[in-house]
Amino acid sequence: MSIITVSASKHSNLLRLLTSHTFLRRLSTEPPEPQPPPQQKTSNHNSIITEALQLLQTPGNEWNTTQLNQLLFPDSPPSSSSPRLFYQITRRLPSSSQALKFLNYLQNNSPSSPDTQSLLPYTFQAIFELAFCEPDSNANLSRLYKTSKELNIPLTINAASILLRAYGRSELVEESLILFNDLDPSVKNTYLRNVWLSILLRSGRVKDALKVIDEMFESNEDSNCRPNDATGDILFSFLLKRERNEELLSEDEIVNLVLKFGEHGVLISSFWMGRLIARLCRNRKTNRAWDLFTEMIKLGAVLESATCNSLLTGLAREGNFNRMNELMAKMVEMDIQPNVVTFGILINHMCKFRRVDNALEVLEKMSGVDFFVEARRRGMKGDAVTYTALINAFCNVNNFEKAMELFNEMLKSGCSPDAIVYYTLISGFSQAGRMADASFVLAELKELGIRPDTVCYNTMIGGFCRTNKFHRVFEMLKEMEEAGLKPDTITYNTLIAYASKTGDLKFAQKVMRKMIKAGVMPTVATYGALINAYCLNGNINEAMEIFKDMKAASKVSPNTVIYNILIDSLCKNNKVKSAVTLMEDMKIRGVTPNTTTYNAIFKGLRDEKDLEKVFEFMDRMIEHACNPDYITMEILTEWLSAVGEIERLKKFVAGCEVSGSTAQKASSRT
């Protein structure tokens, strides 16, 4: 497999891109709210507002209308007699009730001309803004809306949006629907429709929201209500930021919406595109994610490395290295520079798929121009993850020489290894039984001032147990205690499993009692290890006692593995009836038998020569869709051929009923 090469000439661009910061817009981004028309600034603009507010401080019935008229409506109206001036005066009044009195003054005293009539809608907008911030705002706004209709004062876009937001905030969706339908079409521009869209989505009325979007798409190209970037952000932030919204709209429907927006010139942001691709890949729809990615490229979408990384992760998870190469080629073609995360994904998944040579090839490309050193100089981190993936991969294939070589290279490159790198080496050495090497790495870890955690000590304890160095186990336990770390479930289970394996059942029981006393509840693995130990030692009665205690005293339910251990031991000890009873207990508890379970019971029934029961369990095996293996066929073929029941075996292989009639089968199971 060839890995797409990122040339050295592009490394400077890559680093520049990686150190730049792209700030996401707020999820609820909308265009700036329309404001009253601007006016030319005049030298006396502020003085007019100040003087007017002073005159309006007196009670409404004592206003000096003569002075107000001379100030606001002189014989030759100056440029200051504009909507913005009256908007600002109204907005600075202490309450909406006083602002409403000012509106009444304007109606009664302003000259009747088209210019002065345009003052009223913006004055009313200021009243709405004041009322929105007051107690019982919904009731006040509703009364003001009724007043505006009675006075025949049209709502501005801002006034309408304030009223819509107030209704939406109080979840008065039906009231907001009536209002929206009642508004003049000229007010229902893109901004207001986006406000309405947001309200519908927050209330869960996705179908109604999609109708609003359809109407926006169907409007004329030159109309003022076409969908824009804010429309897309509002919709896709709702659909993609919560997993629960999968119930409202399927992933395919979301993809179709993204493409529809793109066809109308509205391209989803790179952030939400990455979210959608990540969700598709997470739900095993990588092909759909790929198709969406390529379609958006055709539509001219501006994509970033984070979006590509989401798709790369999905492809890597499936081991689709051909498309991974194709994606890397597209990134180069579109001048989307891969970052440390991109290379990390490549290396990590190549290691998981045992393509270590390819992973090293990518690492060499990254190191070609002192990538790591330069990246760290520019404040970038994350390369330790890449080295950890490679080190772990070599440990998994027992190539510890190469793992240590990479570790040393990591140190030389100026990349400080973190605790995870050391833990990876300790785990690898422990699994391989190389406890001297694991102990050396642990000592290095401590020397750096990094305190080993419980997971690290558990790894060491497990390694020492597997190599039968129990004195070192106690050393580790003592170190844990001195470090203030308490043994956890894994610690106790490891000790119990080791004691059970060596036949030291008294010690195993002692550890379990200490475990319970320490407040660490035994798990199914704890009970499984003990039960298996007693069964191996031929003490099936004690194993059954532990099994009964497990069901009665603990909250841990036995699993298939524990039932298999007991059924196999019971059958080997000629207690087939007890084994059959356990099979029935599995059925009652809803524990599904597997092939191992059936093989054990078939062996026991064969020794008992109980054909009727074996036919019943053969039927059960078919019902559970449990496929027989070579051991199953060996047991049944030898036995059934010897007793002349080869036809039953053929039915079993064909997945058909084996026992007699349905009635006989039913009676045999009751």
Side-chain angles (χ1 to χ4, degrees), residues 31 185 188-194 197 212-232 260-266:
K188 299 179 187 179
N189 66 355
T190 300
Y191 167 73
L192 197 68
R193 288 175 187 270
N194 284 346
L197 177 66
V212 173
I213 291 173
D214 286 338
E215 290 172 4
M216 295 172 79
F217 280 133
E218 291 166 5
S219 61
N220 297 327
E221 290 290 339
D222 56 351
S223 71
N224 66 346
C225 60
R226 299 283 296 170
N228 59 12
D229 289 343
T231 315
K260 187 173 183 179
F261 268 82
E263 289 164 2
H264 285 80
V266 180

Side-chain angles (χ1 to χ4, degrees), residues 311-326:
L311 181 56
L312 191 66
T313 301
L315 295 170
R317 194 180 291 125
E318 294 182 355
N320 193 338
F321 291 99
N322 290 332
R323 275 196 170 166
M324 287 171 70
N325 270 293
E326 193 176 340

Side-chain angles (χ1 to χ4, degrees), residues 138-244:
N138 284 350
N140 288 340
L141 288 168
S142 296
R143 283 194 292 270
L144 286 171
Y145 177 50
K146 185 178 179 182
T147 301
S148 71
K149 293 171 72 175
E150 291 170 354
L151 298 176
N152 199 26
I153 299 175
L155 294 185
T156 63
I157 294 170
N158 266 23
S161 72
I162 288 169
L163 193 51
L164 275 176
R165 288 176 191 277
Y167 285 154
R169 184 175 62 182
S170 300
E171 300 182 357
L172 301 173
V173 184
E174 293 302 326
E175 287 80 352
S176 60
L177 175 61
I178 294 169
L179 168 64
F180 186 81
N181 291 334
D182 197 35
L183 291 172
D184 188 276
S186 63
V187 180
K188 299 179 187 179
N189 66 355
T190 300
Y191 167 73
L192 197 68
R193 288 175 187 270
N194 284 346
V195 172
W196 176 227
L197 177 66
S198 181
I199 291 168
L200 289 172
L201 289 172
R202 283 200 306 270
S203 62
R205 297 177 65 156
V206 179
K207 289 184 179 179
D208 291 330
L210 294 178
K211 286 179 183 177
V212 173
I213 291 173
D214 286 338
E215 290 172 4
M216 295 172 79
F217 280 133
E218 291 166 5
S219 61
N220 297 327
E221 290 290 339
D222 56 351
S223 71
N224 66 346
C225 60
R226 299 283 296 170
N228 59 12
D229 289 343
T231 315
D233 276 346
I234 291 167
L235 177 63
F236 295 116
S237 68
F238 173 80
L239 294 175
L240 295 173
K241 69 182 176 182
R242 303 186 190 93
E243 290 295 332
R244 66 177 180 79

